[in-house]
Amino acid sequence: MTSETTRRAHHTARRAANSSAVDRAARAGFVARGIIYPLIGVIAIRVAFHPSDGKQADRSGRSPR
């Protein structure tokens, strides 16, 4: 019984891995990663090199009015 269950699970996993929906989802994930990583990099560089005019950052957690 276990070998039959294992065989069916293996077959189902192989079908899912070869499906076009999984392929599209994987590609969408790579595109999202390709957008997010450079975006985070740009934000980090802007924060690192943004002139603060000698002012300390506000740590209160609320937006200025």
Side-chain angles (χ1 to χ4, degrees), residues 28-58:
F30 287 135
V31 169
R33 184 178 284 186
I35 292 169
I36 295 296
Y37 282 8
L39 183 63
I40 291 172
V42 168
I43 291 170
I45 290 171
R46 288 189 66 190
V47 167
F49 293 109
H50 181 72
S52 63
D53 299 329
K55 294 186 283 185
Q56 183 70 20
D58 181 15

Side-chain angles (χ1 to χ4, degrees), residues 2-62:
T2 303
S3 62
E4 175 63 24
T5 303
T6 303
R7 187 187 65 74
R8 283 191 351 205
H10 184 74
H11 177 70
T12 303
R14 184 168 297 201
R15 281 184 46 213
N18 292 333
S19 74
S20 61
V22 172
D23 187 49
R24 284 192 299 268
R27 289 177 190 268
F30 287 135
V31 169
R33 184 178 284 186
I35 292 169
I36 295 296
Y37 282 8
L39 183 63
I40 291 172
V42 168
I43 291 170
I45 290 171
R46 288 189 66 190
V47 167
F49 293 109
H50 181 72
S52 63
D53 299 329
K55 294 186 283 185
Q56 183 70 20
D58 181 15
R59 296 174 62 164
S60 68
R62 66 179 180 94

